[in-house]
């Protein structure tokens, strides 16, 4: 997938949402008219109408972005996600996480997605959905499963594509909401959050930087392809091992578990 196809998919999803949200309006209107109810009851349709209009506007925006996004090399090729040290994160509407990872050319190099997209989860409150464990697949650009992240409470288990457990991340209890500490084996990852919880800085216990996740700071050349505002840009330290990078992506799955839900 490239960024143009991504915009087309998000546009199609928004159009579907706009049409589906009109269904309750139709039934409520029929019911209110048949019951000869006063006009004030039509206010119950207002949330559906606002959502439908908003979704249609998003459809038009993403449709235009799919046309305007400039790709220097639109040919899709197999590329190792773990080799990419600077990537853009984008999200497709889903009951839970569906995160696409793009390189500087606007080509998807991988994806992290929830393995179970039950329809009821669109309507399930977050505090209830968080009560049970969730499995997130970490896929290559060709759609091959590489790892599985199982998140339950404050733990993340990482398994390889054969289902063998290779690591377990445990979130430590902290008093500061702007700081989180995660441990696996003898290793520690410290995650510092900005005041608005939009930017994240990851580092080791000794202060060595691991990665930075920032919004709205794309290089000028990249902005010709990634047209959405405040899109997350992940910059990874070039000296990190594949194992360290995998653990970072596992934490991203936890951070963005309900993005575009």
């Amino acid at each position: 997938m490239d960024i143009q196809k991504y915009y087309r998919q998000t546009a199609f999803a928004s159009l579907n949402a706009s049409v589906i949200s009109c269904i309750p309006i139709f039934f409520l209107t029929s019911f209110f008219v048949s019951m000869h109810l006063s006009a004030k009851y039509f206010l119950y349709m207002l949330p559906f109408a606002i959502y439908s209009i908003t979704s249609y506007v998003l459809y038009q925006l993403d449709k235009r972005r799919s046309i305007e996004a400039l790709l220097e090399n639109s040919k899709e090729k197999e590329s190792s996600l773990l080799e990419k040290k600077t990537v853009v994160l984008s999200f497709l509407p889903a009951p839970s996480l569906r995160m696409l990872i793009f390189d500087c050319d606007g080509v998807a190099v991988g994806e992290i997605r929830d393995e179970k997209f039950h329809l009821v989860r669109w309507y399930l409150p977050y505090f209830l959905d968080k009560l049970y464990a969730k499995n997130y697949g970490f896929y290559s650009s060709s759609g091959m499963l590489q790892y599985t992240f199982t998140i339950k409470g404050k733990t993340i288990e990482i398994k390889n594509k054969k289902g063998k457990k290779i690591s377990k991340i445990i979130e430590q209890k902290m008093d500061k909401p702007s700081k989180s500490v995660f441990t696996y084996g003898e290793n520690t990852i410290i995650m510092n959050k900005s005041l608005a919880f939009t930017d994240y800085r990851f580092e080791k216990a000794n202060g060595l930087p691991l990665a930075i996740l920032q919004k709205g700071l794309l290089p000028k050349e990249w902005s010709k392809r990634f047209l959405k505002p405040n899109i997350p840009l992940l910059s990874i330290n070039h000296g990190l091992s594949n194992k360290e990078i995998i653990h970072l992506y596992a934490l991203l799955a936890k951070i963005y578990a309900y993005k575009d839900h």
Side-chain angles (χ1 to χ4, degrees):
M1 180 186 293
D2 58 41
I3 192 64
Q4 288 181 326
K5 291 181 180 178
Y6 163 75
Y7 286 138
R8 284 197 292 269
Q9 283 197 19
T10 53
F12 183 72
S14 295
L15 181 60
N16 282 342
S18 179
V19 173
I20 291 173
S21 58
C22 288
I23 296 176
I25 296 177
F26 172 77
F27 283 108
L28 287 174
T29 300
S30 301
F31 176 75
F32 293 157
V33 171
S34 64
M35 297 297 293
H36 303 288
L37 298 177
S38 63
K40 67 179 181 180
Y41 286 94
F42 285 87
L43 292 175
Y44 288 107
M45 297 186 297
L46 189 60
F48 298 103
I50 293 175
Y51 184 74
S52 179
I53 294 171
T54 302
S55 296
Y56 186 76
V57 171
L58 292 176
Y59 158 70
Q60 291 291 351
L61 286 174
D62 283 327
K63 181 181 177 182
R64 187 178 66 188
R65 287 166 179 157
S66 70
I67 299 172
E68 295 178 350
L70 299 177
L71 293 178
E72 292 182 0
N73 181 13
S74 60
K75 182 180 179 181
E76 296 185 19
K77 57 184 183 298
E78 179 71 21
S79 181
S80 174
L81 172 57
L82 300 180
E83 293 177 358
K84 302 295 182 180
K85 298 302 187 288
T86 305
V87 295
V88 167
L89 308 181
S90 297
F91 304 87
L92 285 170
S96 182
L97 179 66
R98 188 168 182 196
M99 180 170 70
L100 297 175
I101 305 162
F102 291 93
D103 65 10
C104 61
D105 294 321
V107 177
V109 295
E111 179 181 358
I112 300 175
R113 67 171 181 261
D114 198 320
E115 297 294 77
K116 294 182 179 179
F117 284 150
H118 296 305
L119 181 62
V120 69
R121 293 183 64 188
W122 280 106
Y123 309 100
L124 198 63
Y126 293 163
F127 74 93
L128 291 177
D129 194 61
K130 291 179 180 179
L131 293 179
Y132 65 92
K134 288 169 284 296
N135 293 317
Y136 299 93
F138 185 62
Y139 292 86
S140 67
S141 58
S142 60
M144 299 296 292
L145 179 65
Q146 303 298 309
Y147 299 93
T148 300
F149 308 139
T150 301
I151 300 179
K152 184 175 183 180
K154 294 184 177 296
T155 66
I156 308 174
E157 284 191 355
I158 302 176
K159 300 177 183 178
N160 61 20
K161 57 186 176 183
K162 295 181 179 179
K164 180 180 179 181
K165 177 181 171 182
I166 59 175
S167 184
K168 183 176 183 179
I169 303 175
I170 301 175
E171 182 178 1
Q172 305 300 317
K173 186 177 180 179
M174 298 294 294
D175 295 329
K176 296 181 179 180
S178 61
K179 182 178 181 179
S180 299
V181 176
F182 303 89
T183 58
Y184 63 97
E186 298 179 353
N187 302 284
T188 299
I189 298 177
I190 299 174
M191 182 175 73
N192 294 300
K193 313 166 194 175
S194 65
L195 293 177
F197 293 94
T198 56
D199 298 345
Y200 299 83
R201 293 180 179 270
F202 303 88
E203 59 185 36
K204 294 185 178 181
N206 59 7
L208 181 68
L210 296 172
I212 298 175
L213 181 65
Q214 296 174 296
K215 284 188 175 181
L217 295 175
L218 291 181
K220 184 177 180 180
E221 184 64 25
W222 291 38
S223 61
K224 297 178 182 179
R225 292 177 282 279
F226 304 99
L227 305 177
K228 284 189 175 182
N230 297 320
I231 195 167
L233 177 70
L234 177 66
S235 301
I236 300 173
N237 189 316
H238 283 257
L240 297 193
S241 65
N242 286 348
K243 184 177 181 180
E244 290 174 312
I245 295 174
I246 292 165
H247 283 75
L248 286 174
Y249 277 113
L251 293 181
L252 292 181
K254 181 176 177 64
I255 292 171
Y256 289 114
Y258 297 98
K259 178 68 176 178
D260 278 0
H261 175 83

